[in-house]
Amino acid sequence: MKIIEEKNCIILQDVDHFSPEHTFLCGQCFRWDEEIDGSFTGVAFSKVVNISLKDNAVVIKNITLDEFKSQWKYYLDLDTDYGHIKYGFKDDQNVKKAMEFGWGIRILNQEIFECLISFIISTQNAIPRIKKIVSKLSEMYGTKLEYSGREYYAFPNIEQLRGITKESLSELKAGYRADYIVDAVEKITSGEVRINDILSLSYEDAKKELMKIKGVGPKVADCVLLFSANKKEAFPIDVWVKRTMQTLYLSETSSVKEIEEFASSHFGQYAGVAQQYLFYYSRENKLGK
DNA sequence: TTGCAGGGGTCAA
DNA sequence: TTGACCCCTGCA
């Protein structure tokens, strides 16, 4: 990968296995929107950034070389060799097919707090509505940003949400999830849940730590670990993945526990990567519906 | 227009 | 293991 710095813009040449479209639309994040020209604009690290693919080069607008090296390179998971991961799944025809369909999905390393709150909101909810609620929460409590003549809002940090109540969140119309958001903020500010330790804890311990929060069950915890804590062995099982695994690998009556055990032994350390490709493939093709 | 089913699950009994 | 759950959206 060759990095070229231009005015307030970075160009990456020879990047393999990266599709902004598939990466931002595969359901792992809720803060990226497609523009008319096919590029994607999103907010992270209190910055608005625009990413596009042009003639096999990745163009990232509104960042400096330092910001790319210190934050965005990791965020986009560009240090991980997806060719190697793909090779490891060469004997699995289902994953192979899903990886061809959704080529270039990279598992993002999002900010943990934002990812946690976003997936608490995702519970029993549809993606467009999740995006709406996350966006509204940012507008209410986050820092205002500007890019290309438009207003954006950074996702609020823990300090900005300190002291919120169920009532103050009523405008969000998040339903019963408002209680969960309040509980997460309280437990993190009090130190009961040490969110900054998630990165250094083992997968199992990190999952236990997250599940101390009300509204965080195994699925939400796995999403947070996979999409923001670089734990690629995490294998979130939702309705789509459950149906897909039952159809392609196991049987209709297989339980979540059985699927979990199978995924761990069959997919191994990159189970989460396989999960995301299978999830995207089954959703886009409405598998089992 | 109204009514109903279901949505990237989780909690509590 | 099973239903209830807040609220919105899509679809008869």
Side-chain angles (χ1 to χ4, degrees), chain A residues 9-197:
Chain A
C9 167
I10 297 288
I11 298 167
L12 309 173
Q13 287 180 332
D14 308 319
V15 180
D16 293 323
H17 309 289
F18 179 52
S19 159
E21 181 191 351
H22 294 159
T23 297
F24 297 132
L25 296 182
C26 72
Q28 62 176 321
C29 54
F30 305 100
R31 297 279 280 157
W32 290 86
D33 289 310
E34 189 167 10
E35 304 289 352
I36 301 165
D37 65 0
S39 68
F40 286 83
T41 305
V43 187
F45 312 112
S46 297
K47 278 226 98 166
V48 186
V49 159
N50 178 271
I51 300 183
S52 58
L53 200 56
K54 281 189 183 113
D55 304 325
N56 212 29
V58 178
V59 181
I60 310 178
K61 291 181 183 166
N62 205 34
I63 57 165
T64 64
L65 184 59
D66 280 346
E67 286 166 340
F68 174 72
K69 284 183 175 168
S70 63
Q71 296 176 314
W72 291 86
K73 192 177 178 208
Y74 177 65
Y75 177 88
L76 297 169
D77 207 25
L78 291 171
D79 294 316
T80 300
D81 182 356
Y82 278 71
H84 172 73
I85 296 176
K86 198 174 167 184
Y87 182 77
F89 290 123
K90 68 179 172 15
D91 296 327
D92 185 316
Q93 294 308 312
N94 297 315
V95 177
K96 217 175 146 185
K97 205 164 146 190
M99 287 190 99
E100 276 160 24
F101 175 80
W103 75 272
I105 293 177
R106 279 179 181 265
I107 306 294
L108 299 174
N109 292 300
Q110 303 176 56
E111 292 160 279
I112 297 176
F113 181 62
E114 169 174 348
C115 194
L116 169 67
I117 302 296
S118 299
F119 277 94
I120 284 173
I121 292 168
S122 81
T123 308
Q124 190 69 18
N125 216 338
I127 291 177
R129 192 174 159 225
I130 300 166
K131 287 184 75 169
K132 203 179 275 183
I133 296 172
V134 172
S135 162
K136 182 77 184 169
L137 182 66
S138 304
E139 207 179 307
M140 286 167 69
Y141 295 98
T143 305
K144 191 172 168 183
L145 307 168
E146 215 181 293
Y147 173 68
S148 194
R150 277 186 291 181
E151 276 179 15
Y152 294 85
Y153 291 86
F155 191 86
N157 59 39
I158 185 74
E159 287 306 317
Q160 288 170 314
L161 289 184
R162 184 193 283 271
I164 52 160
T165 60
K166 186 175 146 188
E167 288 70 32
S168 61
L169 289 178
S170 64
E171 213 186 316
L172 273 188
K173 297 187 174 160
Y176 57 79
R177 302 168 197 85
D179 277 330
Y180 300 160
I181 298 171
V182 171
D183 190 64
V185 171
E186 280 175 359
K187 288 194 172 126
I188 293 167
T189 48
S190 74
E192 188 179 339
V193 170
R194 302 180 315 279
I195 200 172
N196 292 326
D197 291 354

